[in-house]
């Protein structure tokens, strides 16, 4: 079955950096747009960054200039480099992808399980 598996989360001090990874696996024919979302307790899930298959990117206002999204199409993996982390960045970070399976099932927004990022001193 299709899976999006996030990794790289953890505890980091303010001003520090983390690099998240999300690998798509299973009978996937194509992965189109991939994105990172995050959700803090009591808040709505929000877009952090997205990247198209061609490499076009967009970022949420709260992370512009600090986070960088990238992808490796051959590995079906998306990354999120997070620099100058702030306590407000603390959230569960979710991977999301538009993908097509080998049986031509189209998923517009397939979710990963999420990985916890905690920014605290």
């Amino acid at each position: 079955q299709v899976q999006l598996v996030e990794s790289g989360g953890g505890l980091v001090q303010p001003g520090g950096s983390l690099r998240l990874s999300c690998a798509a696996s299973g009978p996937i024919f194509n992965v189109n747009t991939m994105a990172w979302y995050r959700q803090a307790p009591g808040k709505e899930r929000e877009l952090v960054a997205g990247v198209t298959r061609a490499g076009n990117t967009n970022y949420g206002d709260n992370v512009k200039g600090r986070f960088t999204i990238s992808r490796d199409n051959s590995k079906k993996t998306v990354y999120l480099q997070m620099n100058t982390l702030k306590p407000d960045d603390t959230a569960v970070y979710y991977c999301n992808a538009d993908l097509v399976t080998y049986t031509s099932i189209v998923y517009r927004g397939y979710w990963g399980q999420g990985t916890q990022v905690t920014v605290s001193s």
Side-chain angles (χ1 to χ4, degrees):
Q1 65 274 35
V2 172
Q3 285 187 301
L4 296 178
V5 181
E6 301 99 333
S7 62
L11 175 65
V12 65
Q13 293 184 336
S17 298
L18 282 174
R19 186 173 187 251
L20 305 182
S21 298
C22 171
S25 64
I28 299 170
F29 175 74
N30 188 50
V31 181
N32 296 315
T33 298
M34 304 186 80
W36 288 96
Y37 290 76
R38 68 185 183 186
Q39 188 167 25
K43 299 187 67 177
E44 297 289 327
R45 188 171 298 187
E46 65 175 349
L47 174 69
V48 177
V51 58
T52 68
R53 185 173 178 84
N56 303 116
T57 61
N58 68 291
Y59 296 90
D61 289 340
N62 293 334
V63 306
K64 288 180 179 177
R66 298 188 297 121
F67 292 8
T68 302
I69 190 170
S70 61
R71 66 188 290 167
D72 185 333
N73 291 333
S74 67
K75 296 181 179 179
K76 298 183 178 66
T77 299
V78 63
Y79 307 94
L80 184 68
Q81 179 66 47
M82 304 184 293
N83 298 325
T84 320
L85 283 161
K86 306 174 181 179
D88 286 347
D89 295 319
T90 296
V92 177
Y93 284 70
Y94 296 92
C95 181
N96 181 274
D98 297 335
L99 55 87
V100 182
T101 71
Y102 280 112
T103 55
S104 299
I105 298 174
V106 178
Y107 293 96
R108 186 173 177 86
Y110 196 95
W111 292 100
Q113 182 73 259
T115 185
Q116 177 71 47
V117 172
T118 302
V119 184
S120 176
S121 59

